[in-house]
């Protein structure tokens, strides 16, 4: 009996190096963007608390308030978007 010893490998060396190169470029771009935007660490530390506060004020939704002001403003916005859309569309020449 002839035993063939195949070594299966999921990715080739070229594929592995390409993947790690992409990861490296993404990490470098992320670090560069964080430095250029000048993110204030205190804001990042405070963000979960701010998000929890915002969502606690958004929920539960007050459906009685919708017909009073939200509906009219939404319809007006849609009217403006549909009426002015063809004139301000970037594809219009």
């Amino acid at each position: 009996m002839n035993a063939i010893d195949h070594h299966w490998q999921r990715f080739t060396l070229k594929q592995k190096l390409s993947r790690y190169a992409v990861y490296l470029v993404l990490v470098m771009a992320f670090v560069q963007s964080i430095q250029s935007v000048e993110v204030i660490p205190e804001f990042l530390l405070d963000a979960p608390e701010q998000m929890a506060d915002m969502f606690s004020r958004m929920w539960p939704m007050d459906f009685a308030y919708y017909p009073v002001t939200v509906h009219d403003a939404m319809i007006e916005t849609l009217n403006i978007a549909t009426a002015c859309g063809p004139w301000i569309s970037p594809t219009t020449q």
Side-chain angles (χ1 to χ4, degrees):
M1 196 164 178
N2 236 349
I4 300 174
D5 187 24
H6 287 292
H7 177 71
W8 183 81
Q9 189 174 5
R10 183 172 182 182
F11 297 110
T12 64
L13 180 62
K14 182 179 177 182
Q15 290 172 329
K16 288 179 186 178
L17 291 176
S18 298
R19 184 175 57 223
Y20 291 129
V22 168
Y23 291 159
L24 181 64
V25 168
L26 289 174
V27 167
M28 288 173 25
F30 180 75
V31 169
Q32 177 63 30
S33 67
I34 291 294
Q35 289 175 348
S36 65
V37 173
E38 298 176 6
V39 174
I40 301 170
E42 290 80 18
F43 288 166
L44 289 178
L45 295 174
D46 192 36
E49 182 182 339
Q50 296 294 329
M51 292 297 290
D53 178 54
M54 181 180 73
F55 285 124
S56 70
R57 288 184 279 133
M58 288 173 59
W59 192 263
M61 187 172 158
D62 186 8
F63 289 104
Y65 187 70
Y66 175 80
V68 176
T69 56
V70 176
H71 184 76
D72 291 339
M74 189 166 43
I75 294 298
E76 184 178 349
T77 302
L78 289 173
N79 285 338
I80 292 170
T82 56
C84 299
W87 290 287
I88 60 173
S89 174
T91 58
T92 306
Q93 295 181 4

